[in-house]
Amino acid sequence: MPTYQLNINGESKSVEVSEDTPLLWVLRDHLNLVGTKYGCGIALCGSCTIHLDGIAVRSCAMTIPQVEGKSITTIEGLSEDGTHPVQVAWKEVDVPQCGYCQAGQIMTASAFLKNNPNPTENEIKDAMQGNICRCASYSRIYKAVEIAANKLAV
């Protein structure tokens, strides 16, 4: 099997995997970065969302050759101590119920706010629509994104 050099959360990691291995399984099974969750395996639910060069993407649909040489950020790398404004807003609003989708939701929201720091309510809903929450805590998710936008604007 080939060996790949990956830049994950600011660190260089070497992995030996088949070229068709999804990034999600490399993160979880080879690097023990288990904050990124498996949901559907076909890039529809958003649980496995990470940042690839700052853009929110589904790690279950990305193979290792597609991500080699790019900057990968997982929920573990968003902030060392959970103080990213989106993470803080999530806690303030008490968004999670089961919590399973939260890492993907937070990664989607943080990438969205980086490019749109002053979103409207409809822009927030549009940006977050690709992430499914089994508990249906969407109103709290939208509120947390709005609060995080205000924190980032300060």
Side-chain angles (χ1 to χ4, degrees), residues 11-134:
E11 296 180 14
S12 181
K13 301 287 184 179
S14 179
V15 293
E16 186 177 316
V17 295
S18 173
E19 68 181 22
D20 62 348
T21 304
L23 174 60
L24 173 62
W25 299 120
V26 170
L27 295 172
R28 293 183 60 79
D29 295 346
H30 297 269
L31 300 174
N32 200 34
L33 294 169
V34 295
T36 305
K37 304 298 184 206
Y38 172 78
C40 66
I42 55 174
L44 293 177
C45 73
S47 292
C48 69
T49 303
I50 52 100
H51 295 172
L52 187 63
D53 287 340
I55 298 168
V57 299
R58 307 300 200 248
S59 63
C60 73
M62 306 298 296
T63 61
I64 299 309
Q66 290 174 301
V67 301
E68 190 174 31
K70 297 182 179 182
S71 176
I72 300 164
T73 305
T74 67
I75 189 72
E76 293 91 347
L78 191 59
S79 74
E80 289 184 22
D81 55 2
T83 57
H84 186 282
V86 175
Q87 293 169 309
V88 171
W90 239 251
K91 293 173 196 167
E92 286 178 11
V93 177
D94 195 23
V95 171
Q97 284 187 34
C98 83
Y100 199 81
C101 70
Q102 297 313 299
Q105 299 275 2
I106 289 169
M107 294 306 284
T108 296
S110 59
F112 165 66
L113 291 174
K114 186 176 181 182
N115 294 316
N116 187 349
N118 190 24
T120 66
E121 182 179 339
N122 284 336
E123 289 172 329
I124 292 170
K125 288 179 180 179
D126 287 345
M128 300 305 296
Q129 74 178 345
N131 288 72
I132 296 171
C133 175
R134 294 185 276 192

